[in-house]
Amino acid sequence: MRSYKIISALSSKLKKVYKVESQGNVYILKEYKSVEEADREMSVAEKVALTGYAPKVIEREDNLVMYEYVEGENFFDVFKTATMTDDVEMMELLATRLTIFLQIIHSFTSKTMKEIDFNSYKVLDGRVVGVDFSQVDEGMPYEDAASAIAFALTNCVGEYYGCFPFIYKLLSCFKLEMTDVVNEVKYRLQQVTSKQTGTANVDLDVLIDGLVNFDRKGVDWRKLI
């Protein structure tokens, strides 16, 4: 592998990730725990990169893989700002772009993002680009839609109902109703809220019921939460 200089270490749960400089260019270097893990993520990234929705693989040596560095805004940062400012147009735009990205993954790899973290995406030139594919696995598209909904609900700025425009646009793009994914969403919320400080007292039954009936009965979330 070409020589490189580490610029900074980046946050990652499953592997070591570095922003590096080599021959005057900036790249992302990922050090995986095993060759098998490197193979798994790299194979997905290479397929999606053909569409322009993932960084290109530059070089590989055993469990070290060097990727193209993707400029752009962090998707999570844009999402938080949109929910903080009640920017409905931006939330719906983000949902549309994320749906396109997730459907591209499924079309090119027949896999889905089993656990969605908005920090794994960049917003660049009017599209969402994935920079981490470690959670891609066998599954159905409704599973990643449910995962995105659960992440949005537990990470928006303000009350849960603040991210409803994002959720309902996402469902619309996937041509799904909330009832189609309600059990999967509830399961994921149970996992998330059991780990997050300050969310343990959330009444998930009330939350889920409101999600299912919101657009039909006009649930007033300010009274429920």
Side-chain angles (χ1 to χ4, degrees):
M1 179 170 284
R2 68 187 69 185
S3 60
Y4 58 86
K5 179 178 69 175
I6 294 177
I7 299 174
S8 61
L10 305 178
S11 175
S12 178
K13 298 177 182 177
L14 302 176
K15 53 191 169 288
K16 295 179 181 178
V17 182
Y18 305 96
K19 185 177 180 181
V20 303
E21 185 272 331
S22 179
Q23 301 174 7
N25 296 309
V26 176
Y27 301 101
I28 294 297
L29 182 69
K30 297 186 179 184
E31 182 180 353
Y32 297 88
K33 294 179 180 179
S34 67
V35 171
E36 290 74 21
E37 288 186 13
D39 286 338
R40 186 173 63 181
E41 182 170 356
M42 191 184 76
S43 64
V44 174
E46 284 181 318
K47 292 176 183 177
V48 181
L50 295 174
T51 69
Y53 282 79
K56 297 175 182 177
V57 175
I58 304 299
E59 201 170 354
R60 157 78 181 282
E61 182 178 305
D62 298 326
N63 65 326
L64 291 174
V65 183
M66 185 176 287
Y67 294 89
E68 172 188 19
Y69 175 69
V70 178
E71 297 282 355
E73 295 181 272
N74 180 287
F75 186 97
F76 190 21
D77 291 341
V78 180
F79 172 79
K80 286 190 295 184
T81 299
T83 57
M84 180 173 62
T85 58
D86 294 323
D87 190 337
V88 172
E89 184 178 355
M90 178 54 68
M91 279 189 269
E92 292 184 340
L93 185 59
L94 288 174
T96 301
R97 290 173 173 175
L98 180 60
T99 301
I100 292 171
F101 168 75
L102 294 173
Q103 291 179 339
I104 282 175
I105 289 180
H106 193 260
S107 296
F108 278 76
T109 69
S110 298
K111 300 179 186 295
T112 62
M113 296 289 285
K114 301 293 285 186
E115 291 185 30
I116 284 184
D117 183 336
F118 290 174
N119 286 299
S120 297
Y121 316 118
K122 294 285 189 72
V123 178
L124 175 67
D125 297 333
R127 66 188 190 279
V128 169
V129 177
V131 294
D132 190 320
F133 295 89
S134 57
Q135 296 295 338
V136 172
D137 206 342
E138 302 293 335
M140 298 297 292
Y142 74 85
E143 293 181 78
D144 49 25
S147 182
I149 290 170
F151 189 94
L153 285 168
T154 52
N155 288 278
C156 67
V157 178
E159 302 291 357
Y160 290 99
Y161 52 78
C163 65
F164 275 18
F166 174 89
I167 291 172
Y168 282 103
K169 185 63 176 182
L170 187 78
L171 289 170
S172 174
C173 290
F174 270 99
K175 297 182 178 180
L176 293 169
E177 297 289 338
M178 191 64 212
T179 50
D180 297 323
V181 297
V182 63
N183 291 331
E184 188 71 20
V185 170
K186 185 172 183 178
Y187 169 72
R188 292 176 183 275
L189 284 172
Q190 287 171 333
Q191 290 183 309
V192 173
T193 55
S194 66
K195 299 176 184 177
Q196 288 187 346
T197 303
T199 59
N201 294 324
V202 172
D203 189 331
L204 290 182
D205 289 329
V206 171
L207 176 59
I208 293 298
D209 183 64
L211 279 167
V212 171
N213 296 296
F214 178 78
D215 56 341
R216 278 172 289 204
K217 297 182 181 179
V219 173
D220 186 348
W221 276 94
R222 289 166 179 79
K223 293 180 180 178
L224 291 176
I225 299 179

